Amino acid sequence: MVRTGQKRISIRSLLTFLFLTISIVPTLLIGYLFYNQSASTMFERINNYSDQIVEMSAERIGNKLADIESYSIETAYAERVQMFLERPAVMSSWEHSQLLARIRQDFGIKISRQNEDFVVTILHPDQSQTIIYGDPALPFALKADQQAKLYAQAVAKNGATYLLPVSEDMHLENVWFQRVRQTGNTSALVLARSIKTLYRGEVNGALAIRISERFINQLYGAVNLGTGSHSFLIDSAGLVHASGDDYFSLSDQGIPSLVQVVLDKAADGSDRAPSGENQSASYAQTWSDGQTDFLVFSAPIPDFDLYFVSMLPVAYVNAELNRTTIGIILIMVAIAGAMVVLSTTLAWVMANPLMKLIKGMHAARKGNLAVSVGTSSIREVEEVSTNFNEMMDEINRLMINVKDKEKQKRIAEIKALQAQINPHFLANTLNTARWMAHIQGAHNIEDLVGSLIQLINASIGARDDQIPIEEELENIKAFLRIQEYRYFDKFKVQYQIDPQILDCLIPRLLLQPLVENALVHGIAPVEGQGTLVIRGMIEDESIRLQVTDNGAGISADRLAEIEQGLKPTNQHGIGISNVRDRIRLNFGDRYGLTIKSVPDLYTTCEITLPRIKPDALDEPGDHL
């Protein structure tokens, strides 16, 4: 019995699920933990690496600016420079030029870079200048307003260092600028300070040192945090003093939100630094320019109010993390795949013998009692399989015995039914003969009795169980001749028989109960003359025989009872059940009897039989 409304799962599915759960779930958990640890480690590594690079670059820039600042102080208060600016009255022009030459020689050796990365000049109050390092014939010069601003700010600092980023559009278009522009070295950072007299403290000029942006960029040129990173130098006001790419240009005003991030980070780093300990504030923060999200690393250069900033796109970090994630996923997929294959294999090894046993049971349930299941290497399954095979052998033995006994029983029942029909029919016929003799004075008795003798011989005296359809029709005609005397002009008969079936064999007197039912229960109860049609035809390898009357018909309830094989209550039911049982007993369930009826209109009884020729009975085999 199949239980409905209850969820079922196969043993193989259950074993596979258990194996996968036991193997894959821990693996996935370990992978997840490993991923989190890897992501945390990678982020920490990138953060620490970037911190160190930025701090080292800021320190390198600060040290170099401090060296240049020291050089500027030494230059501003050197004796020869002081003498050159004061120029005593006793000094001739030749002596003045010789003094300048010595100054250039002394400080050229100190700088030791004979190229355009450095230019050292003295700005005079009248806005003229004197080159003390560089090419005197090609003087570096700013536009008048920019140079005046530089001088004024240097004086206003009162001896402190002043830094001014100088872009290309701030220079004069002179020969020096044309030469420098060819090398792409037009942007620079100018360090300036006022020059005072040693004893009176009066300002008599300013010292300006032009440091090319290229030189500053070289100080942190090795800084490459990753693809899409940007590095630059800004002050607390957001003014860009140097930039390694086009993201910012020199002398640009930095984005306020970015400047605020840098300042907040520097302030927070100062608050966290222990007393007396120099700690950088270059821990990572995030900032977005509206299109790209960045991790911002920065380190201050306190002595110059500068900050070295490097920004790394978050997408780059995510890309690194994604590559790690893909690697982890591939490893996990490989492990999971191996686990799936192993789990499926183990489940198959354990469940396959049981599946074979289940298939054998299904086959047995469908009627294949000859099924046998193979042996198994699993002890418990082997024991069940052996018991199943022994059980099927025993069932086969019992089925053979039951089938033989059932067949004998059905033959006996059919013979008993025939024995019930024949006396009934004989009594009716004799009553009819007596009635006709009484009414008609024995006229036509010879014909009636002859027909009766023919039927009695067909029913009792013959030995063959199957006869040709042609002989069966002759018996039906004899039966109908008798019924014509009984139902005087009550019916007429039509025969529609395919000649090809006349020599085919059918069980003896198979149609007689149907014809009798048609007359007694179909045509007799209605008024007027009825019609009885007997048809025979070939369909594929089968024969279809029909008995149709246009009489009273059968009600739907009674027809349902007949079709269901319920216990008959009259001779009508006995005849139909007898015909149906004889067909199935002789030819099997493929063949049988069907009834179609419409009350007060018609009834058709149709039997379907195999097409059997007389010579087929000589061949071995059974038609069951």
Side-chain angles (χ1 to χ4, degrees), residues 477-493:
K477 291 177 181 179
F479 169 77
L480 291 175
R481 284 197 300 271
I482 295 173
Q483 298 303 322
E484 287 177 355
Y485 290 105
R486 179 182 180 185
Y487 296 104
F488 181 74
D489 200 28
K490 180 65 178 177
F491 65 91
K492 60 181 178 179
V493 184

Side-chain angles (χ1 to χ4, degrees), residues 480 492-497 531-535 546 548:
L480 291 175
K492 60 181 178 179
V493 184
Q494 297 180 6
Y495 295 93
Q496 299 176 6
I497 306 299
T531 301
L532 182 67
V533 181
I534 300 175
R535 297 185 181 91
Q546 295 179 349
T548 302

Side-chain angles (χ1 to χ4, degrees), residues 234-238 256-271 281 283 285 296 298 300 305-307 309:
I234 63 173
D235 61 15
S236 59
S257 59
L258 174 60
V259 175
Q260 191 61 47
V261 169
V262 174
L263 295 179
D264 290 345
K265 186 160 57 172
D268 185 63
S270 299
D271 293 340
Y283 59 96
Q285 286 189 345
V296 180
S298 65
D305 187 29
L306 293 176
Y307 299 87
V309 182

Side-chain angles (χ1 to χ4, degrees), residues 4 43 98 169 178 232 253 313 377 404 443 499 558 566 593 610:
T4 58
F43 186 81
Q98 289 298 313
D169 58 356
Q178 295 296 332
F232 48 91
Q253 195 69 35
S377 58
D404 184 60
H443 296 294
R558 179 57 185 152
L566 298 179
L593 169 66

Side-chain angles (χ1 to χ4, degrees), residues 355-579:
M355 294 301 297
K356 290 181 178 179
L357 181 59
I358 292 173
K359 289 181 180 178
M361 291 180 177
H362 286 323
R365 187 179 65 181
K366 293 179 180 179
N368 183 12
L369 300 181
V371 66
S372 176
V373 296
T375 59
S376 172
S377 58
I378 301 176
R379 184 177 60 187
E380 291 79 3
V381 179
E382 171 68 17
E383 185 175 351
V384 174
S385 300
T386 301
N387 291 335
F388 174 79
N389 290 335
E390 292 177 355
M391 180 183 68
M392 294 307 301
D393 291 341
E394 182 65 21
I395 291 175
N396 281 323
R397 286 192 294 271
L398 293 176
M399 287 296 296
I400 292 173
N401 293 335
V402 170
K403 184 181 293 186
D404 184 60
K405 292 180 180 179
E406 184 67 21
K407 184 176 181 179
Q408 293 177 5
K409 178 181 177 182
R410 297 303 296 162
I411 293 174
E413 290 176 350
I414 290 173
K415 289 183 177 180
L417 288 174
Q418 290 176 339
Q420 294 175 4
I421 294 172
N422 292 334
H424 175 77
F425 171 69
L426 184 59
N428 289 339
T429 304
L430 292 176
N431 286 331
T432 301
R434 185 181 63 180
W435 175 75
M436 290 185 64
H438 177 72
I439 297 299
Q440 298 182 7
H443 296 294
N444 298 323
I445 294 298
E446 183 179 0
D447 182 44
L448 178 62
V449 173
S451 297
L452 176 60
I453 292 173
Q454 181 179 348
L455 285 178
I456 291 175
N457 290 333
S459 176
I460 299 175
R463 296 180 180 179
D464 296 333
D465 290 335
Q466 298 192 33
I467 61 175
I469 293 177
E470 184 177 13
E471 184 177 342
E472 177 71 6
L473 291 176
E474 290 298 326
N475 293 332
I476 293 298
K477 291 177 181 179
F479 169 77
L480 291 175
R481 284 197 300 271
I482 295 173
Q483 298 303 322
E484 287 177 355
Y485 290 105
R486 179 182 180 185
Y487 296 104
F488 181 74
D489 200 28
K490 180 65 178 177
F491 65 91
K492 60 181 178 179
V493 184
Q494 297 180 6
Y495 295 93
Q496 299 176 6
I497 306 299
D498 187 343
Q500 297 184 51
I501 70 171
L502 292 178
D503 60 343
C504 294
L505 301 179
I506 64 171
R508 183 183 301 277
L509 295 178
L510 190 65
L511 289 177
Q512 186 271 335
L514 304 182
V515 174
E516 183 179 3
N517 282 336
L519 291 176
V520 175
H521 301 287
I523 296 176
V526 299
E527 296 181 358
Q529 187 183 57
T531 301
L532 182 67
V533 181
I534 300 175
R535 297 185 181 91
M537 64 205 75
I538 295 177
E539 185 175 289
D540 296 331
E541 294 301 319
S542 300
I543 295 175
R544 294 169 55 193
L545 298 173
Q546 295 179 349
V547 177
T548 302
D549 68 83
N550 60 348
I554 306 173
S555 66
D557 294 338
R558 179 57 185 152
L559 183 61
E561 292 177 357
I562 295 173
E563 291 291 342
Q564 294 173 7
L566 298 179
K567 184 177 180 181
T569 57
N570 51 41
Q571 185 64 25
H572 179 269
I574 293 175
I576 291 177
S577 298
N578 182 34
V579 171

